[in-house]
Amino acid sequence: MNRKRFQTWGIYATLILFATAMISPVYILLKVSISAPEEVNTAHPTFLVQDATFDHWMDILTTEKKTDTGLMIYRIEGDTYTVEDVDGNEHTLTSSNQFTINGVFKKISFLDENKEINLDRDGLQDLRDHLTTKKTFFGQKVIDNLYQPLGKSFIVATVTTIVAIFICAPAAYVISRLPSYIGYIVVLSLLVTRMFPDVGIALPVATRFLSWGMTDTSFGLILAHLIPNLPFLAWILVGTFATIPKDLEQSAMIDGANRITALARVVFPIAIPGIAVGSIFVWLNSWNEFIYARYLSTEVATLPLRIFEVITRGSIFPAAACSMILTIPVIIITFVLQRYMKSGMLSGAVKG
């Protein structure tokens, strides 16, 4: 009894250590993204967040609001501020006023009313010291740098996963029903294609796609991502279908189902756990893929490419916030698909 309890506690301790090792990098990434710079840039940073701030997130999620002509929109910091124009008249600005500045003519123009104020050089400088910019979540800069790459990565990863399943699931079922030595040769042939490094394949693929006009398109990137993922998914699904007894199909066909119905209603539902595992791997591979995206993206980059650009700028705080944005969909997708990964799906399936 004591030995069994000791083994149980040993398993729990191992699982806790393993989970801690997996979660720690994500926690550190989150901590850096919401910590003040002076809390991180120190010889002895704290493990817990002491002074949380969302400034780094706001820096990458928002941008300064501009007019249609490209002029920056300002407002004052605080409730009110009084300025004196060149004629000596005083004007009180409130926090609700939005205006632009023409530095050449030393003039501010209000957006919500047809009013302009001319200032001298010192007055304009004093005003600039009490200004802040108007922030927006949907500025063109944020759309180009974050939302478009995020949307492109999500579409490419999701469509790649769906197409890969539709191609590999029937193929893997057929391979699993071949004589074992032939199935082994076919699976081995598929895995041989994974022995070549992606960087060596990506360049000729990109050259061919360029001649076909498929660069900088989601369709071209989906086709490129299928190249490394199809053999990998087929290998996973062959093992899954091989564990499903043929007696189940035969029983369904004795009950009147044809082969397609037996596959759709008996075999594939039982194979859902394996398909879910393969889907997670394919989605993650496509979501994090860098080399093909580097070759095939010229205007609209994927999110990993954009994060690489942010990292190379040198500041770790926006890089940590961007990396968290890359991580959050991974957590959501994994959480959604993990409920299909149930053990014991075949238990009792061939009884009777």
Side-chain angles (χ1 to χ4, degrees), residues 20-315:
T20 303
M22 295 294 103
I23 295 174
S24 293
V26 179
Y27 170 72
I28 294 173
L29 202 62
L30 176 64
K31 178 183 184 300
V32 173
S33 70
I34 61 174
S35 295
E38 56 272 14
E39 187 178 323
V40 176
N41 296 326
T42 178
H44 303 287
T46 59
F47 182 75
L48 299 176
V49 178
Q50 303 295 322
D51 186 16
T53 175
F54 291 97
D55 290 347
H56 313 308
W57 284 79
M58 295 302 292
D59 288 342
I60 62 171
L61 291 176
T62 63
T63 186
E64 290 84 4
K65 192 174 182 179
K66 295 182 179 179
T67 64
D68 295 336
T69 58
L71 295 176
M72 194 80 72
I73 298 176
Y74 296 95
R75 61 183 175 83
I76 63 168
E77 288 184 325
D79 296 331
T80 60
Y81 181 77
T82 302
V83 295
E84 184 176 324
D85 61 19
V86 292
D87 297 326
N89 300 318
E90 291 187 346
H91 303 268
T92 300
L93 307 181
T94 65
S95 58
S96 61
N97 292 136
Q98 299 181 41
F99 51 87
T100 61
I101 296 179
N102 189 324
V104 176
F105 296 99
K106 303 180 185 62
K107 179 176 61 179
I108 64 174
S109 303
F110 290 83
L111 300 180
D112 49 356
E113 54 186 310
N114 186 20
K115 178 182 176 182
E116 295 181 346
I117 300 177
N118 295 313
L119 305 174
D120 57 21
R121 184 182 301 276
D122 294 336
L124 184 59
Q125 184 58 48
D126 291 339
L127 177 62
R128 287 184 184 278
D129 294 337
H130 295 80
L131 292 182
T132 185
T133 55
K134 185 76 173 179
K135 296 280 188 176
T136 178
F137 283 95
F138 298 101
Q140 191 61 43
K141 182 180 177 181
V142 180
I143 292 175
D144 294 340
N145 292 339
L146 181 63
Y147 297 143
Q148 282 189 349
L150 178 64
K152 183 176 182 180
S153 290
F154 186 81
I155 291 173
V156 169
T158 303
V159 176
T160 298
T161 303
I162 294 173
V163 174
I165 290 173
F166 270 97
I167 294 175
C168 289
Y173 168 76
V174 172
I175 295 172
S176 69
R177 293 302 185 255
L178 292 174
S180 58
Y181 68 94
I182 296 178
Y184 175 75
I185 294 174
V186 174
V187 172
L188 195 62
S189 302
L190 290 173
L191 293 179
V192 165
T193 61
R194 295 299 300 127
M195 295 180 182
F196 300 98
D198 288 338
V199 68
I201 302 175
L203 182 58
V205 169
T207 304
R208 178 58 60 185
F209 280 17
L210 178 63
S211 64
W212 291 344
M214 294 170 60
T215 56
D216 212 31
T217 64
S218 296
F219 179 67
L221 202 54
I222 290 168
L223 292 181
H225 285 186
L226 287 174
I227 295 173
N229 283 310
L230 285 180
F232 183 69
L233 181 60
W235 174 62
I236 293 177
L237 294 184
V238 167
T240 299
F241 287 117
T243 61
I244 300 176
K246 295 179 182 178
D247 293 343
L248 290 175
E249 303 169 51
Q250 294 171 356
S251 299
M253 295 174 72
I254 291 174
D255 290 339
N258 56 34
R259 182 170 291 276
I260 299 299
T261 304
L263 290 178
R265 297 189 177 182
V266 177
V267 178
F268 284 157
I270 295 176
I272 288 282
I275 294 175
V277 171
S279 300
I280 291 175
F281 277 106
V282 172
W283 196 90
L284 292 178
N285 286 339
S286 179
W287 177 257
N288 295 317
E289 202 281 329
F290 185 85
I291 297 175
Y292 285 103
R294 185 71 169 174
Y295 279 112
L296 297 175
S297 300
T298 57
E299 294 182 2
V300 180
T302 59
L303 194 56
L305 284 180
R306 188 60 63 191
I307 292 176
F308 172 74
E309 295 173 359
V310 174
I311 292 174
T312 53
R313 293 174 188 170
S315 178

